[in-house]
Amino acid sequence: GNRKLQFKNSMKAKFDNILLPIANILIDSSERNNVKYEGFFINFVTYEIADAILVKTTINGKGPVKDALKDYFPTINSLKADILSLYLLSKLQEKKLISDVTINDNYVIFVANVLRSIRFGAAFAQGSSNLIAFNMLYKMKAFERNAATGTYKVNFERMKEVINKLTKDILTVLLEGDYATAKSWIEIYGNMSDELQKDIRKIREANIPID
């Protein structure tokens, strides 16, 4: 019981002191009401479930997925958890197994949380995978950036479509041990744009802790 309480309290502190201040700077004002502690907590738990769903062996004779993807495996496996967690959330929402928040809340919180965690940097698989997820979703117009305000706004219907597609694509890369595609994703989407660097600088200048 006391461990669960510590977990809840640390998550609440992370939300109040890190995620919410980031959302107030970088999320469009029309969607800031979607950023709720309950949603942050549910997103976090679902991420851990998605992270625990492992694709261990390829389906085409390439052996273990870790061996097939080599040095790219940690990043692609972490990317799988990022995207699969949103897919799982959409299914839980459809079955009405989550009542505290809406799927739109989950989507907005995800974008704010990615902006939090990409500050970890490429030295950590999670930081690298979050940057790739961010760039993929942005390029596929799951959310957009308002150049005038420097804030991000989720396109809710498009986000669902993109999550469904990326979930399939990422699991396929793992199942097939597709090293070439994994490499291309990291090369294409693994870099921080100038505008994103500018946005991250806003967080730093606001003295919001990294974690």
Side-chain angles (χ1 to χ4, degrees):
N2 61 347
R3 284 181 296 174
K4 292 178 182 177
L5 184 61
Q6 287 175 339
F7 177 66
K8 181 179 180 181
N9 288 345
S10 65
M11 289 299 296
K12 187 66 166 63
K14 182 179 287 192
F15 177 82
D16 290 340
N17 296 293
I18 303 175
L19 190 83
L20 193 56
I22 288 174
N24 287 334
I25 294 172
L26 293 181
I27 297 298
D28 187 87
S29 59
S30 66
E31 294 183 352
R32 286 175 192 166
N33 286 338
N34 294 101
V35 182
K36 304 168 184 174
Y37 168 71
E38 293 81 2
F40 177 59
F41 189 85
I42 290 168
N43 279 27
F44 190 92
V45 172
T46 310
Y47 172 87
E48 293 301 321
I49 294 169
D51 190 43
I53 298 174
L54 296 176
V55 182
K56 293 184 177 181
T57 307
T58 58
I59 59 172
N60 51 7
K62 292 184 180 178
V65 178
K66 283 185 177 181
D67 293 344
L69 295 185
K70 301 177 183 176
D71 48 328
Y72 298 132
F73 173 77
T75 297
I76 299 302
N77 190 57
S78 186
L79 177 64
K80 175 264 301 175
D82 291 330
I83 301 301
L84 180 59
S85 66
L86 286 180
Y87 179 83
L88 295 176
L89 278 167
S90 70
K91 295 303 176 183
L92 291 169
Q93 291 279 10
E94 288 172 11
K95 294 178 180 294
K96 301 188 184 304
L97 294 172
I98 296 175
S99 58
D100 293 339
V101 295
T102 68
I103 190 62
N104 289 353
D105 296 333
N106 295 131
Y107 288 154
V108 176
I109 292 163
F110 175 82
V111 173
N113 196 46
V114 166
L115 290 165
R116 174 190 69 85
S117 57
I118 57 178
R119 297 178 299 158
F120 297 158
F124 296 89
Q126 186 180 0
S128 179
S129 72
N130 283 168
L131 179 57
I132 293 168
F134 179 93
N135 285 333
M136 281 180 160
L137 292 168
Y138 185 54
K139 184 173 182 179
M140 298 174 78
K141 302 188 184 305
F143 59 86
E144 59 191 26
R145 182 181 185 273
N146 185 322
T149 62
T151 58
Y152 294 87
K153 185 176 183 179
V154 177
N155 300 320
F156 295 118
E157 289 302 316
R158 180 61 181 161
M159 174 70 92
K160 185 174 183 179
E161 295 172 6
V162 171
I163 291 300
N164 287 341
K165 181 183 186 308
L166 286 179
T167 298
K168 181 179 179 180
D169 290 348
I170 294 165
L171 289 175
T172 300
V173 166
L174 290 165
L175 285 163
E176 296 181 352
D178 188 347
Y179 182 87
T181 297
K183 182 175 185 289
S184 69
W185 282 352
I186 291 170
E187 289 177 347
I188 294 169
Y189 300 109
N191 299 301
M192 194 177 293
S193 67
D194 291 340
E195 68 179 19
L196 183 54
Q197 290 183 43
K198 179 181 177 181
D199 295 335
I200 297 303
R201 193 156 53 244
K202 290 180 188 176
I203 301 175
R204 186 168 62 248
E205 290 170 352
N207 294 317
I208 299 171
I210 287 181
D211 223 9

